Amino acid sequence: MFHCSLSRSLEKIGDWWTLLIVRDLYLGVNRFDDLVTNLGISRNLLASRLVHLTEAGIVERSCYQQRPQRYEYRLTAAGNELIPVLMALTAWGDRWVTAEDGAPLLFEHVSCESVFTPQVTCSVCTQPVDVDNVTPRLGPGATAGPGTWLLGNRVQHRAEGATPVPRST
Amino acid sequence: MFHCSLSRSLEKIGDWWTLLIVRDLYLGVNRFDDLVTNLGISRNLLASRLVHLTEAGIVERSCYQQRPQRYEYRLTAAGNELIPVLMALTAWGDRWVTAEDGAPLLFEHVSCESVFTPQVTCSVCTQPVDVDNVTPRLGPGATAGPGTWLLGNRVQHRAEGATPVPRST
């Protein structure tokens, strides 16, 4: 296990298929056969990914019919909180990958009634963040290990080059 | 190629290794041998991932020494814009995966001088977005194809259940 929340997230999530399954569950494709049809994924592969996502606490199975018993899949709270991250990744794709016919999917914010671009911002001042205005620093859980052998040193070095700032939450 | 900016992003990015390489380049691990050491990845695998990332326009090779010629790897503009998305994914991991010793990495916002939690917000009203306050809608580039056979129908259905809102940007 890599000692970084990004790699831990990736490990937890599984692979790209699982992200597309999470997308589908969010968009209302919740049944096994529909997921097979929509994704063009083999039944075996889908079954193993759903087990992984369930064990990871991202997806849960819910019974929607008693006789015969039938199940559908839903996102858990952790799964739901992945969706804004996928929205941000989708916006990146709209900007850097998608063809000139425009965005396949738009997001409307219910509270402000606008079509918006998902953006990643600072929880304190609400301004968008980018590589130039963020300094990464070692946190309390920082350890060296596979995947992070050199990171402590590099992050330290990078932070020392930056203006020291007081910590707050 | 799936007809959705999320799956197009995933295809462009490659696999989990490439995200860890992007993380490392951002944190200052920019040379081939250092990437091998930090990630514990085989040289062949790293080389193929760097070729993929370079061809995808996420990474570029830059000569830092003439005799003998030596190269390091840097993020392009598209690569830099992936970083906030990875920050948001890291925050998800801090919340749902990382052990009780706390976050391995903290982010400080240079402009407001605070340690912050990256969050995904609405570009119009700047409020955080979540599954409950966003309605996905079909955009101009929406098409049906492998990976999206059922999505048009589901998204339409979902949007019709929601309060209709005027479109703006």
Side-chain angles (χ1 to χ4, degrees):
Chain A
M1 157 106 54
F2 291 126
H3 299 95
C4 137
S5 291
L6 174 63
S7 39
R8 284 175 177 169
S9 296
L10 301 180
E11 209 171 286
K12 187 99 170 176
I13 294 167
D15 62 11
W16 296 144
W17 276 117
T18 59
L19 287 185
L20 295 179
I21 294 166
V22 167
R23 174 201 68 177
D24 277 14
L25 297 180
Y26 166 61
L27 292 176
V29 183
N30 297 89
R31 298 185 183 170
F32 193 89
D33 288 342
D34 289 346
L35 288 163
V36 167
T37 305
N38 194 55
L39 293 169
I41 187 177
S42 82
R43 303 181 72 85
N44 278 346
L45 199 57
L46 176 60
S48 79
R49 291 308 180 277
L50 284 169
V51 167
H52 175 91
L53 281 166
T54 307
E55 287 174 354
I58 294 170
V59 164
E60 63 195 2
R61 213 169 67 138
S62 145
C63 178
Y64 71 88
Q65 180 187 295
Q66 281 298 340
R67 295 181 187 190
Q69 284 207 329
R70 300 255 185 245
Y71 293 92
E72 59 184 16
Y73 296 87
R74 303 189 165 281
L75 296 175
T76 61
N80 277 330
E81 288 194 14
L82 260 183
I83 298 299
V85 181
L86 296 191
M87 288 179 186
L89 188 52
T90 303
W92 182 87
D94 285 341
R95 192 162 144 74
W96 292 101
V97 194
T98 296
E100 54 287 347
D101 47 358
L105 197 65
L106 301 174
F107 299 110
E108 271 178 9
H109 194 201
V110 174
S111 12
C112 79
E113 303 190 348
S114 309
V115 170
F116 69 98
T117 304
Q119 53 186 19
V120 182
T121 59
C122 166
S123 55
V124 179
C125 74
T126 77
Q127 290 301 301
V129 294
D130 61 48
V131 286
D132 294 326
N133 63 23
V134 172
T135 308
R137 289 185 187 270
L138 298 180
T143 50
T148 57
W149 289 118
L150 303 176
L151 293 191
N153 179 281
R154 300 303 159 96
V155 170
Q156 198 71 38
H157 179 79
R158 215 190 129 117
E160 278 162 11
T163 322
V165 299
R167 275 204 187 145
S168 65
T169 51
Chain B
M1 155 107 52
F2 291 124
H3 300 95
C4 137
S5 291
L6 174 63
S7 39
R8 283 175 177 168
S9 297
L10 302 180
E11 208 173 287
K12 187 98 170 178
I13 294 167
D15 63 10
W16 296 144
W17 276 118
T18 58
L19 287 186
L20 295 179
I21 293 167
V22 167
R23 173 201 68 178
D24 276 14
L25 297 180
Y26 166 60
L27 292 175
V29 182
N30 297 89
R31 298 185 183 170
F32 192 91
D33 288 342
D34 289 347
L35 287 164
V36 167
T37 305
N38 194 54
L39 293 170
I41 188 177
S42 81
R43 302 180 73 85
N44 278 345
L45 199 57
L46 177 60
S48 78
R49 291 308 179 278
L50 285 169
V51 166
H52 174 91
L53 282 166
T54 307
E55 286 173 356
I58 294 170
V59 163
E60 63 196 0
R61 213 169 67 138
S62 144
C63 179
Y64 70 88
Q65 181 187 293
Q66 281 298 343
R67 294 183 190 187
Q69 283 206 329
R70 299 254 185 246
Y71 292 91
E72 60 184 15
Y73 296 87
R74 302 188 168 280
L75 297 175
T76 61
N80 277 331
E81 288 194 13
L82 261 183
I83 297 299
V85 181
L86 296 191
M87 287 178 186
L89 188 52
T90 303
W92 182 88
D94 285 342
R95 189 162 147 74
W96 293 101
V97 194
T98 295
E100 55 286 350
D101 47 358
L105 197 65
L106 302 173
F107 299 110
E108 272 178 7
H109 195 202
V110 174
S111 8
C112 79
E113 303 190 347
S114 309
V115 170
F116 69 99
T117 304
Q119 53 186 20
V120 182
T121 59
C122 167
S123 55
V124 179
C125 74
T126 77
Q127 290 302 300
V129 294
D130 60 50
V131 286
D132 295 325
N133 64 23
V134 172
T135 306
R137 291 186 186 269
L138 298 179
T143 51
T148 58
W149 291 116
L150 303 176
L151 292 190
N153 180 280
R154 301 304 160 95
V155 169
Q156 198 71 36
H157 179 78
R158 213 189 130 117
E160 279 162 12
T163 321
V165 300
R167 277 206 184 141
S168 65
T169 50

